[in-house]
Amino acid sequence: MAETTHDRPVYVIGGGPGGLAAAAALRERGVRAVVLEKSDGVGASWRRHYDRLHLHTTRRLSALPGLAMPRSFGRWVARNDVVRYLENYAEHHELEIVTGVEVSRVERAPDGAGWLLRATGGRELTGRAVVVATGHNHTPRLPEWAGRETYTGDLLHASEYRNALPYAGKDVLVVGIGNTGAEIAVDLVEGGAARVRLAVRTVPHIVRRSTAGWPAQRTGILVRRLPTRLVDRAGRLVGRISVPDLSAHGLPRPDTGLYSRVKDGAIPVQDVGLIDAVRKGRVEPVATVASFDGGKVALTDGSHLSPDAVIAATGYERALEGLVGHLGVLDGRGRPVVHGARTSAGAPGLYFTGFTNPISGMFREMALDAVRIAKAVDKSRDHAAR
C-alpha cells in the first residue's frame, strides 16, 4: 500500500528548546514528530554558551509545554540547569530524536503533498509537515574588519568565550553591547582582567532585570500590544528613574524609544552588573571598531588601542538561505517572513519557531508557538482526512 501524507511524520529540524517544545506539543495531539538534531545531543547551543550565563527570564515564565522547571533551579536559571531541563524534557515526553543528522535542504515532495528533506549520508526523508527550529543563534557573525588578519592578539567570537580565566591580568576589548557583550564584560572584570573596554556602536537601552521583585519580562509581556509611542514614553520615564545617567562615563541615554528599538529587533540590555561596573570605571565604553593593524585596533573616533584580546559579541546569522531560501519564505535579511502557526502561501505545512527575540522572553514565545503549531498541524490533518 502506498504511503499517504497522513502516514508521514512531522519533521522538526533542531533539538533546542523550540524544536523540543514543538515535538512535545505535536505528540500531545497524537501526531508523530521526529526531531532531527545535527549534534550528538539536545540543547547543543546551550552547552556552548559561556559559563556565567543565566536565563534573563524567570523560571516560571520559561518552562516549555508539559513540564515545569524545578524550583531548585532558582528564579534565574543557570546555563547548566537549562541543559539539564532540556534533557529531562525530552525524556519526560518520550520524544523521538535522531542525532547526528543535519538537514541541508527542504523541498516540496515529488508528489506535491508534504516535504522532502535532504540530510547527511544521502538521506531523503519525506514528511507531511516541517518545523524549522535551528535557532536564532545559529552561525556566529564576525565582521570583515579591515586588517583583521594582521591582528597579533587573540581575536574570537563571543560564541567561543567560556569564562574569564584565560584573561586574568590582560587588557581586553569586548565589541558589542548587547546582552552577551555586556555580560561578558562584567564577567571579565569580576574574573580579574586588568582592563576591560566595551566598544559601542549604538547606545542601548538598559533595564533592570527586576525591580522590587517585579521582573522586566512581565512588563515586556504586558506592553506587547500597546502602541509603540506610548511604550516609548513610559520606558523613557522608567529609565530615568531606575537607571542612572552614565553620560559622563561614555554611555549616554539613547535618543530613540525603547519599544521602537525592539520593533527593529534590538532587545534592551538587562543589567547584570554593567551599570555598577561602568559607574566605577571598571568597564570603559569606547567607540566601535573601524579596523585592525598588527597589534593595534583603530576605533571610529580616530583613537587606537592595543588590547591583548578582542572578543566580538557581534551576533549571529540565521543561516537559513541554503535550507529554505529557494522557497520564498525569507525576507531580505534572511529571516522567516512568518513564524509560529502561520505559513507562507506558497509553503503550506512549513513552520518556523525561535527566530524572533521578543521582549516577552524567547522561551515563553517558543512555548506558545509550539502549542499553536501543533494545533495548526492537527487541524490540517483533520482537514486532509475529510
Side-chain angles (χ1 to χ4, degrees):
M1 181 173 141
E3 180 190 40
T4 65
T5 306
H6 177 75
D7 297 327
R8 298 170 183 171
V10 174
Y11 284 107
V12 180
I13 307 174
L20 298 181
L26 286 163
R27 193 177 189 282
E28 178 68 19
R29 286 183 169 267
V31 178
R32 184 188 174 204
V34 179
V35 179
L36 304 174
E37 167 55 46
K38 68 178 182 179
S39 71
D40 59 0
V42 301
S45 64
W46 275 91
R47 297 175 193 274
R48 296 192 297 266
H49 285 314
Y50 50 95
D51 296 345
R52 176 195 178 96
L53 180 64
H54 286 66
L55 284 177
H56 291 164
T57 54
T58 65
R59 170 180 52 81
R60 284 189 174 184
L61 294 175
S62 301
L64 302 178
L67 184 66
M69 287 188 172
R71 290 175 59 88
S72 60
F73 285 1
R75 194 180 198 195
W76 312 105
V77 183
R79 183 206 66 178
N80 286 345
D81 285 335
V82 171
V83 173
R84 286 171 54 197
Y85 174 72
L86 296 178
E87 291 173 339
N88 293 339
Y89 190 84
E91 183 177 353
H92 175 81
H93 288 290
E94 299 179 339
L95 300 182
E96 188 175 349
I97 301 171
V98 182
T99 59
V101 175
E102 182 174 8
V103 179
S104 57
R105 189 175 174 88
V106 177
E107 303 171 356
R108 293 307 301 263
D111 61 6
W115 296 92
L116 173 68
L117 286 68
R118 299 189 185 278
T120 49
R123 293 178 178 87
E124 294 186 352
L125 309 170
T126 307
R128 63 188 181 87
V130 174
V131 181
V132 180
T134 49
H136 191 268
N137 297 340
H138 186 275
T139 302
R141 181 175 62 240
L142 191 63
E144 293 289 342
W145 288 301
R148 191 181 78 181
E149 68 284 354
T150 71
Y151 182 55
T152 55
D154 294 327
L155 172 62
L156 65 151
H157 189 270
S159 60
E160 302 175 75
Y161 178 85
R162 294 295 172 268
N163 55 57
L165 188 61
Y167 307 98
K170 293 187 176 182
D171 182 336
V172 185
L173 173 66
V174 180
V175 184
I177 193 173
N179 278 293
T180 296
E183 190 159 6
I184 287 177
V186 172
D187 194 46
L188 287 164
V189 165
E190 295 179 353
R195 187 174 189 179
V196 178
R197 282 172 283 203
L198 186 56
V200 180
R201 182 179 64 180
T202 304
V203 178
H205 285 272
I206 302 175
V207 299
R208 300 288 187 181
R209 186 168 65 172
S210 179
T211 303
W214 178 265
Q217 182 189 8
R218 286 199 178 275
T219 301
I221 294 170
L222 291 174
V223 305
R224 286 198 72 185
R225 288 175 172 78
L226 294 177
T228 300
R229 294 172 68 181
L230 175 62
V231 180
D232 281 348
R233 286 199 297 269
R236 189 175 299 112
L237 176 61
V238 172
R240 290 187 179 280
I241 295 171
S242 63
V243 177
D245 186 357
L246 300 173
S247 300
H249 304 279
L251 206 60
R253 295 189 187 279
D255 55 7
T256 54
L258 184 152
Y259 205 40
S260 293
R261 287 271 193 92
V262 170
K263 293 289 189 180
D264 288 334
I267 297 299
V269 171
Q270 292 203 17
D271 178 47
V272 290
L274 180 67
I275 292 173
D276 189 55
V278 170
R279 290 179 72 181
K280 293 180 178 178
R282 301 179 73 193
V283 170
E284 307 167 50
V286 297
T288 197
V289 172
S291 63
F292 289 79
D293 183 11
K296 293 187 178 297
V297 180
L299 304 182
T300 53
D301 64 357
S303 61
H304 291 77
L305 310 177
S306 298
D308 298 309
V310 175
I311 300 172
T314 46
Y316 295 79
E317 304 286 352
R318 309 294 86 81
L320 291 170
E321 288 81 2
L323 186 68
V324 296
H326 54 287
L327 298 172
V329 295
L330 304 179
D331 65 15
R333 296 169 64 182
R335 303 173 303 183
V337 294
V338 295
H339 67 277
R342 298 167 59 205
T343 60
S344 297
L350 181 62
Y351 303 89
F352 295 89
T353 184
F355 294 98
T356 60
N357 196 8
I359 195 172
S360 51
M362 186 177 287
F363 269 57
R364 179 181 181 273
E365 294 305 317
M366 287 189 294
L368 295 173
D369 273 354
V371 175
R372 293 168 184 151
I373 290 171
K375 184 177 180 180
V377 170
D378 199 20
K379 184 178 180 180
S380 67
R381 176 178 64 172
D382 291 343
H383 179 75
R386 291 193 187 106

